[in-house]
Amino acid sequence: MTKSYFAASVPDFLTQPTEDILGRLAIRVGSEHSGNETQQIRAWRIQIDLLKNALAKADSEEWGILLELPLLRLGRRIDAIMLIGDTIACVEFKIGSTNFSGSDVDQAVDYALCLRDFHAASHRKRVVPVLCSDQASLSSLPGSIEFIDDVSQCIRTNAVDLTNVLGTIKDLVTGDQINWQAFDAATYSPTPDIVAAACSLYSGHSVKEIGRADATAEALERTANRLKEIANEARRDQKKVVCFVTGEPGSGKTLLGLDLVFSGTSGRVAEEPAALLSGNRPLVFVLQSAIAEDARQREGIQAAEAQRQAQQGLQTLLGYLKDHADTNADPPENIIVFDEAQRAWDADTGLKLLGRAKSEPELFMEIMGRLPWACLVCLVGSGQEINRGEGGLALWGEALAKGEDWTAHISEKALAERKGLLGFFDIASGADVSLVNDPDLHLNSNLRAYRNNLHGAWVTALLDSNTEMARDISIEMDHPPALVTRDLSEMKAWLQMRRRGDQRVGLLASSGATRLVADGIPPSPRSDDLRSVVHWFLKPAGDFRSSNALETPLSEFVCQGLEIDYAGLCWGNDLTWDGHDWVPRKMRAPKWQLLKKEDARQYRINTYRVLLTRGRAGTVIFVPNGDETDSTLTPKEFDGIYNVLVTSGCQRLS
């Protein structure tokens, strides 16, 4: 059985009776979906006849054809794929349609992009999206077909001109014919963005259903299953456990937390109270808004009720702590996921926020310690502390040493981290803490940068000032780690050309890069301007509030934990290069001031770690030219930044 509902060479397709092909399609759709498929079969009949007429007139003896190729495991299928030499035609039919709507064009392009990015046999092949509205009076055929990152503009055609479209694509062929059997059998390994993943998990799907189909996915699923095992053991044995899940930015930690809360046998699906908490309010509100809107459309419930349900599973950390500050206020959730646990604040911050001189880990373990059993899952991202008062894993070590009856599950990798639990125990000899080495709780892969799985290692080398290592890593990559330009308009044009299908682009900038305003780059919305941040991530292209408008950048404080497809990073001179090392600075008007405290220096470097790891498909960096007449915009400093980025493997944008 083929993965596609029907797959064959074009000569075989032309000789097979239409009724036989229809029968195969109907059997597959009937076995995989329930419901009345009469309308679908009627559309298929027209579609098959159109394809037969078009292919019979084309020189197509060696071509392959696939009908209804499933993409995501959640039900998306491509109507038809024609393998024309070494070029892939991805055809979306709109039977009975008389026009070419913008949403239909986006759908066709999005399918082509999904093939390019996630389908193994489509990698490094040119893909042409085609929208066929069979009843349209006029086709919109381009004078030439031009490709951006191997995907062309969408060709819009009616039934009559479909033959001409296939002939135009045939003229592009420069290599060997793609084998249709190998193409159909190839793996499809999708990587959903965090917003889509949250909606899918909330609706009852698991990590296995929405994730990839490769070794990366197997490791992610293994960790997901391990977390559920630990939670079930805690409930069965009535004990208290804390799990530290570690990994680089984009490795899938938040995805695992959402999976534990919303799916499987341990979280809300099993009617076991559970919630994911984050001190990152923008992340919480963006995911709440996306989940609520998806649930409203999918289930037909009122917007207010959808929002209430989303808020039960996704909450802010500070709100949770305030609600349960009273010693009699036992929490309803036995399972809590603490997102970005490395950003937990210390006792001084606890005194300021809650009037209690206790760190966030201490307060959490005190509150959950009131329950007969508890499972606290801490998601830890290395090198992402970006604010004062964030104490890293050492605070958890101190809280565990003070607490009672808690068992900690953690990998050896996490124990070896700077400021890690082990570092605390070396200092505080005699700490009585039960530790379980759990290697499945560390994620080595990068899901976010799906086109550059070495991207996280490159960012680490770059920000560690190891330019030689960064350069070596970049050479091993299929794509440059980033592009770099001195022209803001050039960067925006590059991003706009990649805003296709469902893909999202946007600008990013450090909160400390205050002098970017001289280049016309406004400040980011504040982290408490949640409506603006939600609009930035969720509004579609054409809405000036959307990230796609490329009008407003987001800072590290409002984009951490979230992601876009293509990021435009505006590099300010709050982090400059002295020829050997990065020089973190802050603006003390009217001049820059060096950051001398080690934690402040690290926060600034971590800011750029966050910004450099937001782009899923690619990142382009804008470095200003500076201004000789302004001492806060020294051209030599910007030249140094630009040159070290190029030396470290970035490619000049041309």
Side-chain angles (χ1 to χ4, degrees):
M1 182 180 290
T2 59
K3 287 187 177 179
S4 304
Y5 286 14
F6 175 90
S9 67
V10 166
D12 285 347
F13 171 73
L14 292 174
T15 57
Q16 288 195 38
T18 296
E19 294 301 322
D20 289 354
I21 298 173
L22 269 176
R24 288 176 60 177
L25 297 176
I27 289 171
R28 284 291 292 274
V29 78
S31 66
E32 297 179 15
H33 303 277
S34 59
N36 184 1
E37 300 296 339
T38 303
Q39 185 176 354
Q40 174 67 83
I41 292 172
R42 187 181 300 117
W44 275 335
R45 185 185 301 277
I46 298 172
Q47 188 175 306
I48 292 168
D49 288 341
L50 288 178
L51 286 168
K52 284 191 170 186
N53 288 335
L55 291 167
K57 300 173 186 177
D59 183 14
S60 58
E61 289 82 4
E62 296 182 349
W63 299 358
I65 182 170
L66 295 84
L67 302 180
E68 302 294 328
L69 173 66
L71 285 186
L72 298 178
R73 300 168 216 179
L74 304 182
R76 295 178 83 181
R77 302 193 305 266
I78 297 178
D79 286 345
I81 290 175
M82 247 77 72
L83 303 176
I84 304 173
D86 61 350
T87 305
I88 302 164
C90 178
V91 187
E92 176 66 19
F93 284 96
K94 297 299 176 184
I95 301 301
S97 177
T98 59
N99 57 28
F100 307 103
S101 72
S103 60
D104 290 342
V105 170
D106 282 347
Q107 181 183 9
V109 173
D110 198 48
Y111 285 161
L113 293 169
C114 284
L115 281 178
R116 179 200 68 186
D117 290 337
F118 306 126
H119 187 256
S122 301
H123 292 168
R124 300 184 180 180
K125 297 287 192 298
R126 291 186 297 179
V127 187
V128 180
V130 178
L131 174 62
C132 181
S133 297
D134 66 324
Q135 299 298 315
S137 57
L138 295 173
S139 295
S140 179
L141 305 181
S144 63
I145 298 179
E146 298 179 356
F147 291 85
I148 299 173
D149 294 344
D150 294 328
V151 174
S152 76
Q153 74 270 45
C154 182
I155 299 180
R156 308 167 198 186
T157 181
N158 57 23
V160 175
D161 288 325
L162 184 57
T163 301
N164 295 334
V165 170
L166 297 180
T168 301
I169 296 173
K170 183 178 183 297
D171 292 339
L172 301 171
V173 173
T174 59
D176 295 336
Q177 173 66 42
I178 300 171
N179 180 277
W180 68 264
Q181 292 104 327
F183 189 92
D184 179 78
T187 56
Y188 180 72
S189 302
T191 301
D193 64 74
I194 191 61
V195 171
C199 293
S200 297
L201 289 165
Y202 188 81
S203 65
H205 296 284
S206 68
V207 161
K208 180 178 180 180
E209 292 174 307
I210 69 170
R212 300 164 61 88
D214 55 10
T216 298
E218 292 175 6
L220 196 67
E221 186 183 355
R222 195 161 52 244
T223 303
N225 291 336
R226 180 61 185 138
L227 287 174
K228 291 169 187 175
E229 287 175 4
I230 295 171
N232 287 330
E233 289 169 5
R235 176 176 52 191
R236 182 194 65 206
D237 300 336
Q238 296 290 286
K239 62 182 182 180
K240 301 177 182 68
V241 297
V242 55
C243 305
F244 295 94
V245 179
T246 53
E248 68 176 55
S251 58
K253 298 182 297 296
T254 304
L255 186 63
L256 286 171
L258 291 166
D259 179 67
L260 181 65
V261 170
F262 292 135
S263 73
T265 57
S266 301
R268 303 185 73 84
V269 170
E271 298 183 357
E272 190 70 63
L276 185 143
L277 310 181
S278 177
N280 184 342
R281 295 180 72 217
L283 171 69
V284 171
F285 276 77
V286 168
L287 295 185
Q288 281 180 348
S289 299
I291 286 172
E293 178 59 21
D294 177 72
R296 186 188 67 79
Q297 294 182 7
R298 181 169 34 80
E299 301 176 12
I301 59 179
Q302 294 293 319
E305 174 61 17
Q307 186 73 21
R308 185 192 68 80
Q309 292 182 12
Q311 290 171 349
Q312 287 181 337
L314 281 167
Q315 304 173 26
T316 61
L317 285 167
L318 189 57
Y320 175 92
L321 291 173
K322 287 181 176 179
D323 286 345
H324 304 296
D326 191 290
T327 54
N328 295 319
D330 292 353
E333 299 92 357
N334 294 84
I335 299 174
I336 288 291
V337 177
F338 189 130
D339 196 27
E340 297 177 6
Q342 78 284 352
R343 298 186 61 189
W345 32 258
D346 56 23
D348 290 341
T349 306
L351 185 61
K352 294 176 184 176
L353 294 177
L354 296 172
R356 300 184 66 188
K358 289 191 174 184
S359 70
E360 204 166 12
E362 284 185 87
L363 291 171
F364 259 94
M365 298 178 83
E366 174 190 302
I367 290 170
M368 297 193 73
R370 302 169 193 161
L371 300 172
W373 72 274
C375 179
L376 175 60
V377 177
C378 297
L379 309 179
V380 181
S382 176
Q384 294 186 73
E385 301 89 349
I386 57 175
N387 211 347
R388 286 176 298 174
E390 295 176 359
L393 277 180
L395 291 179
W396 291 97
E398 294 173 10
L400 281 165
K402 295 177 183 177
E404 297 179 359
D405 302 327
W406 283 87
T407 299
H409 291 254
I410 187 169
S411 71
E412 288 183 350
K413 173 73 174 178
L415 284 174
E417 287 285 334
R418 186 176 65 88
K419 296 185 178 180
L421 289 174
L422 189 62
F424 167 75
F425 294 140
D426 286 345
I427 298 170
S429 58
D432 184 17
V433 178
S434 176
L435 289 177
V436 176
N437 177 21
D438 217 319
D440 286 339
L441 298 188
H442 182 75
L443 302 172
N444 288 305
S445 57
N446 191 312
L447 289 176
R448 181 179 294 137
Y450 54 79
R451 300 186 73 196
N452 255 344
N453 61 1
L454 294 174
H455 184 72
W458 177 82
V459 170
T460 297
L462 173 71
L463 295 180
D464 284 347
S465 302
N466 195 336
T467 57
E468 185 175 344
M469 178 181 288
R471 181 74 179 185
D472 290 344
I473 294 171
S474 73
I475 293 172
E476 297 180 39
M477 293 179 167
D478 292 336
H479 305 276
L483 302 175
V484 62
T485 180
R486 311 301 295 272
D487 187 331
L488 181 61
S489 60
E490 183 180 54
M491 179 175 80
K492 288 186 176 182
W494 187 90
L495 290 168
Q496 286 288 21
M497 291 175 69
R498 283 151 183 81
R499 211 283 336 134
R500 301 182 290 173
D502 290 335
Q503 296 202 318
R504 182 171 287 273
V505 302
L507 300 180
L508 305 173
S510 164
S511 61
T514 56
R515 296 299 293 128
L516 285 173
V517 68
D519 284 271
I521 301 168
S524 164
R526 293 172 56 87
S527 57
D528 56 0
D529 187 3
L530 297 170
R531 184 176 295 275
S532 293
V533 178
V534 168
H535 291 334
W536 196 92
F537 277 105
L538 301 183
K539 291 298 181 184
D543 189 318
F544 71 91
R545 298 168 295 178
S546 166
S547 68
N548 295 305
L550 299 178
E551 291 188 3
T552 305
L554 286 196
S555 75
E556 69 277 15
F557 294 117
V558 285
C559 74
Q560 189 173 36
L562 292 158
E563 57 202 8
I564 52 180
D565 292 292
Y566 290 94
L569 170 54
C570 304
W571 198 294
N573 54 349
D574 57 331
L575 186 65
T576 60
W577 180 257
D578 67 2
H580 303 282
D581 292 296
W582 291 107
V583 181
R585 311 192 301 185
K586 64 179 177 180
M587 172 55 67
R588 288 288 191 189
K591 62 182 180 180
W592 290 103
Q593 183 179 81
L594 295 179
L595 290 170
K596 296 182 179 179
K597 291 184 177 180
E598 178 56 30
D599 57 351
R601 291 172 55 82
Q602 194 61 51
Y603 293 151
R604 179 67 73 229
I605 291 172
N606 287 350
T607 286
Y608 279 84
R609 191 186 317 278
V610 169
L611 299 176
L612 283 164
T613 54
R614 294 308 96 191
R616 285 162 44 82
T619 298
V620 57
I621 301 171
F622 163 64
V623 180
N625 288 304
D627 184 348
E628 290 282 7
T629 66
D630 189 330
S631 62
T632 66
L633 297 170
T634 306
K636 183 178 179 181
E637 292 175 344
F638 285 115
D639 291 344
I641 296 168
Y642 178 81
N643 290 333
V644 74
L645 291 173
V646 173
T647 300
S648 298
C650 292
Q651 180 177 302
R652 293 179 176 87
L653 179 62
S654 59

